[in-house]
Amino acid sequence: MSNNATYAVTPVKTTSTSSKTTFHFVAGLCSGLTSSILLQPADLLKTRVQQSQKTASLLPTIKTILSSPNPIRGLWRGTLPSALRTGFGSALYFTSLNALRQGLAQTEASMAVAASSDDGKSRTSSSALPKLSNWGNLATGAVARTAAGFVMMPVTVLKVRYESDYYAYRSLYSAGRDIVRTEGVRGLFSGFGATAARDAPYAGLYVLFYEQLKRRLASVASSEQSEQPHKSASSSSINFVSGGLAAGLATAITNPFDAVKTRLQLMPGKYGNMIRAVRLMIREDGIRSLFGGLGLRITRKALSSALAWTVYEELILRAEAHWAEKDKINL
């Protein structure tokens, strides 16, 4: 097998300094909005399944919603806070992730590690992000996600409360006003510890798995193309498959933190903190409660991550190709 793993990708300099921060923000926003709006029903169902003291089954939850007067509206309940959270959260995440990776890649030590981990393979790939070592992928993904999660935490709490049928909120404003009145500003950050404990390892593992899978799939695609020249894998298809697989793996590992986060955000007075929440959940509902909504979360995360990262990377790669062409013309 050839070491030069290439496939239908426009060869651009993926670490180009012409990649403007504003464009990374806009690309992240577009990718987040796309995935959040399309996949809101899965997110709502996950919240409903995880909220139950006796972990609810999926089918009865779906039947309850579909038998309501407005089933379509019911399935997309909470779309606005979800779109705000995911859209702007993705924008902040991708922008900070790009800045962190660019900074880390520019140091001599990280460049040396990244070069040695490439095993002499071509730098041409479908990635809009700089190449880093495995530890670099883990660290930058975790830090960027935690920072974005903290900024968007109030919207996340509003989203979970609005999706749940524990509360009869009629608007986001009334939900926010009620939370601040009864729990103070601190209530808008309920479950941040569990969220950070979930998001940091999830994001770090996701970026690690994503980059590794893209590299391996690129090698497979290159091998098949050499045997069958008329067939080629596009960068978007490789990014989509890699994004879905990486999200599934990372989600399965971190789901207990997501289940704890949901309980803390819905009933902070009862569960208090992560340790107390885990103990109560296991005592009242069994170990199974820590994996409530796993199937839904894997499905949603796989699809949303595949969509978001494919849209983001394609927008950035196309922009960099455009900027590189403009640079040639201006020379």
Side-chain angles (χ1 to χ4, degrees):
M1 182 183 295
S2 172
N3 283 333
N4 293 325
T6 59
Y7 49 98
V9 181
T10 303
V12 298
K13 186 180 179 183
T14 57
T15 57
S16 172
T17 55
S18 61
S19 295
K20 298 177 176 61
T21 300
T22 52
F23 195 85
H24 280 274
F25 186 91
V26 172
L29 178 64
C30 291
S31 66
L33 289 175
T34 300
S35 62
S36 64
I37 293 172
L38 290 177
L39 301 173
Q40 174 59 19
D43 212 28
L44 180 136
L45 290 171
K46 177 186 73 70
T47 298
R48 295 287 178 89
V49 168
Q50 287 182 339
Q51 77 178 14
S52 176
Q53 282 193 336
K54 297 299 180 182
T55 304
S57 298
L58 177 59
L59 286 179
T61 304
I62 294 176
K63 289 179 180 178
T64 300
I65 296 175
L66 293 180
S67 62
S68 65
N70 297 297
I72 301 300
R73 184 177 179 181
L75 285 172
W76 265 269
R77 179 177 172 83
T79 298
L80 178 58
S82 182
L84 289 173
R85 180 188 72 99
T86 306
F88 285 98
S90 294
L92 292 171
Y93 171 64
F94 283 122
T95 303
S96 57
L97 180 64
N98 176 67
L100 287 169
R101 292 176 68 93
Q102 292 285 359
L104 189 57
Q106 287 173 3
T107 65
E108 292 183 358
S110 66
M111 288 296 289
V113 173
S116 64
S117 65
D118 279 344
D119 295 326
K121 290 183 181 179
S122 171
R123 305 290 285 183
T124 302
S125 75
S126 65
S127 183
L129 299 173
K131 290 289 192 298
L132 295 178
S133 66
N134 289 338
W135 283 111
N137 287 327
L138 279 169
T140 54
V143 172
R145 177 57 69 188
T146 302
F150 178 78
V151 174
M152 301 304 299
M153 197 65 207
V155 181
T156 302
V157 174
L158 290 175
K159 166 190 168 295
V160 172
R161 297 281 184 96
Y162 201 71
E163 288 175 349
S164 170
D165 55 9
Y166 277 162
Y167 302 89
Y169 295 136
R170 295 185 177 181
S171 69
L172 292 178
Y173 174 75
S174 64
R177 183 179 59 185
D178 183 67
I179 292 172
V180 173
R181 179 176 58 82
T182 58
E183 303 170 38
V185 176
R186 185 178 180 180
L188 295 174
F189 292 86
S190 296
F192 174 69
T195 301
R198 176 201 68 179
D199 286 352
Y202 172 84
L205 289 170
Y206 178 87
V207 176
L208 172 62
F209 293 153
Y210 181 65
E211 292 295 324
Q212 290 289 336
L213 285 166
K214 282 198 302 181
R215 188 177 303 171
R216 293 181 182 278
L217 289 176
S219 297
V220 172
S222 177
S223 176
E224 291 182 349
Q225 186 176 359
S226 63
E227 295 175 1
Q228 297 178 313
H230 62 284
K231 289 186 178 181
S232 63
S234 67
S235 62
S236 58
S237 63
I238 288 180
N239 289 344
F240 190 89
V241 173
S242 299
L245 292 175
L249 291 171
T251 298
I253 294 172
T254 60
N255 194 77
F257 295 110
D258 187 67
V260 172
K261 173 199 74 79
T262 299
R263 296 287 182 99
L264 285 172
Q265 290 175 339
L266 290 176
M267 293 170 282
K270 175 181 179 179
Y271 291 102
N273 57 57
M274 284 182 61
I275 303 300
R276 175 178 169 82
V278 171
R279 288 175 178 172
L280 279 175
M281 289 171 69
I282 293 177
R283 186 172 69 209
E284 295 178 350
D285 306 327
I287 195 73
R288 181 187 173 191
S289 63
L290 296 176
F291 295 91
L294 176 59
L296 280 169
R297 187 166 176 252
I298 285 181
T299 301
R300 185 196 177 284
K301 278 288 188 180
L303 289 173
S304 65
S305 295
L307 281 170
W309 278 76
T310 300
V311 170
Y312 169 75
E313 294 227 48
E314 285 300 307
L315 286 174
I316 295 299
L317 286 171
R318 290 176 184 275
E320 290 205 355
H322 174 71
W323 293 329
E325 189 64 28
K326 285 182 66 177
D327 288 342
K328 289 180 181 179
I329 294 174
N330 293 332
L331 288 177

